[in-house]
Amino acid sequence: MKDTKKNNVLHLNKKIHKTAIVHSGAKLGQNVEVGPYAIIGENVEIGDGTSVGSHSVIKGWTKIGKNNRIFSSVSIGQEPQDLKFDGEKSFVEIGDNNTIREFATIHRGTEDGGGLTKVGDNNLIMAYCHIAHDCHLGNHIIMSNAATLAGHVIVEDSAVISGLTGIHQFVRIGKMAMVGGGSKVVKDVPPYVIVDGHPASVKGINIVGLRRNGISPELRRQVKEAYKVLYRSNLNISQAIEKMDQELDGNPLVEHFLRFLRNAQRGICR
């Protein structure tokens, strides 16, 4: 029997290569492109203007937003690499305007981790990157080639994770932080700092990142003061938080810095 629903999907979108396999249950928006030999599974939703490169596989309960560029041989929505996973329904959500380069992998969530792996908007995920189950990424993040996130990692907005870097499970990478290439990160990385090494340690403030994100000189000065209190005063974290509360103006960057420190679960890079 002819699958009319599948034919309607193909007709509406018009840019699906004849060798691609698109399940009749998939939902594709307008002007979606699907390249040669790509596979789109039953429960996948892809928003308007997104392109999917050749040989890519998108499966599972995966929702992808608008105007994303997914290059060849990308894998999204496959089962998590977690021995506790038992086939339960779980999800991947990807926002708008992301670039996901060749051979990157993004896996579904697990029941223990809330069941969702989430990627925000305007991110650049370069070739061979891995985003494991239950990771949550914000917006304007750069992951360079072969950067890898273990399960349950949180990456805040405008962070940069350089190539060949490994991030331990449950680690948090703070806003506008930068992780140097080839680093091993086993503790939380506070906002606005640079870490590097094996294991990673703090090398200074990410001044270039702050400037690129339009942070004013005055706010940058206050971030420097917060950094000095935490890393140059020989105080423990609790003492440093108390001193910052007492002595620094409550600008949004410093307030975020303090919230991050208060919520650190694995300790922080020193």
Side-chain angles (χ1 to χ4, degrees):
M1 181 177 177
K2 191 173 181 180
D3 190 341
T4 56
K5 187 174 183 181
K6 181 176 180 179
N7 287 342
N8 285 339
V9 169
L10 297 175
H11 175 72
L12 285 171
N13 291 279
K14 296 182 181 177
K15 295 183 180 180
I16 299 174
H17 194 272
K18 63 182 180 181
T19 61
I21 299 173
V22 179
H23 194 281
S24 61
K27 298 178 181 178
L28 275 60
Q30 295 299 310
N31 301 312
V32 169
E33 298 183 20
V34 181
Y37 302 101
I39 299 174
I40 310 296
E42 177 179 10
N43 300 299
V44 173
E45 299 181 28
I46 300 178
D48 297 349
T50 289
S51 61
V52 179
S54 63
H55 297 276
S56 288
V57 178
I58 305 177
K59 301 182 77 174
W61 289 269
T62 296
K63 185 175 182 179
I64 299 174
K66 297 179 180 180
N67 301 316
N68 295 284
R69 299 175 67 211
I70 300 169
F71 282 70
S72 60
S73 301
V74 170
S75 177
I76 300 174
Q78 300 279 21
E79 292 187 358
Q81 297 175 134
D82 186 331
L83 294 176
K84 300 185 296 297
F85 181 76
D86 194 29
E88 60 266 23
K89 185 176 180 180
S90 59
F91 303 87
V92 170
E93 291 183 6
I94 297 175
D96 302 331
N97 304 308
N98 296 289
T99 298
I100 304 173
R101 294 303 304 250
E102 298 84 354
F103 296 97
T105 54
I106 304 174
H107 288 173
R108 287 160 47 201
T110 65
E111 186 175 9
D112 287 345
L116 174 65
T117 302
K118 187 171 183 178
V119 177
D121 304 329
N122 300 293
N123 298 298
L124 172 56
I125 300 167
M126 296 188 193
Y128 293 96
C129 286
H130 176 60
I131 299 172
H133 59 87
D134 306 296
C135 288
H136 286 213
L137 279 67
N139 308 315
H140 300 283
I141 292 161
I142 297 173
M143 291 181 63
S144 296
N145 295 311
T148 58
L149 309 181
H152 311 276
V153 168
I154 296 173
V155 184
E156 295 183 347
D157 294 350
S158 302
V160 176
I161 303 174
S162 301
L164 300 170
T165 294
I167 311 295
H168 194 280
Q169 56 262 43
F170 294 99
V171 159
R172 296 173 64 215
I173 308 295
K175 187 176 183 179
M176 296 184 231
M178 181 174 183
V179 180
S183 295
K184 173 187 175 182
V185 182
V186 298
K187 294 185 177 182
D188 291 354
V189 178
Y192 325 124
V193 304
I194 298 173
V195 302
D196 190 30
H198 201 273
S201 60
V202 172
K203 304 302 181 183
I205 301 172
N206 187 15
I207 291 296
V208 173
L210 292 170
R211 287 173 177 162
R212 286 178 176 171
N213 283 280
I215 305 303
S216 70
E218 175 58 23
L219 291 181
R220 295 201 304 267
R221 184 192 65 78
Q222 292 183 46
V223 168
K224 289 180 183 179
E225 292 300 319
Y227 174 87
K228 288 178 182 178
V229 171
L230 181 62
Y231 288 106
R232 298 290 184 262
S233 63
N234 295 318
L235 300 175
N236 64 35
I237 294 177
S238 297
Q239 292 168 335
I241 289 173
E242 183 178 356
K243 185 176 177 67
M244 282 185 268
D245 266 337
Q246 292 173 353
E247 297 183 4
L248 298 181
D249 293 336
N251 78 64
L253 273 69
V254 172
E255 289 297 326
H256 182 71
F257 194 72
L258 288 168
R259 281 195 301 273
F260 189 98
L261 296 177
R262 291 187 178 108
N263 293 322
Q265 300 295 314
R266 295 186 54 81
I268 62 169
C269 291
R270 299 304 296 251

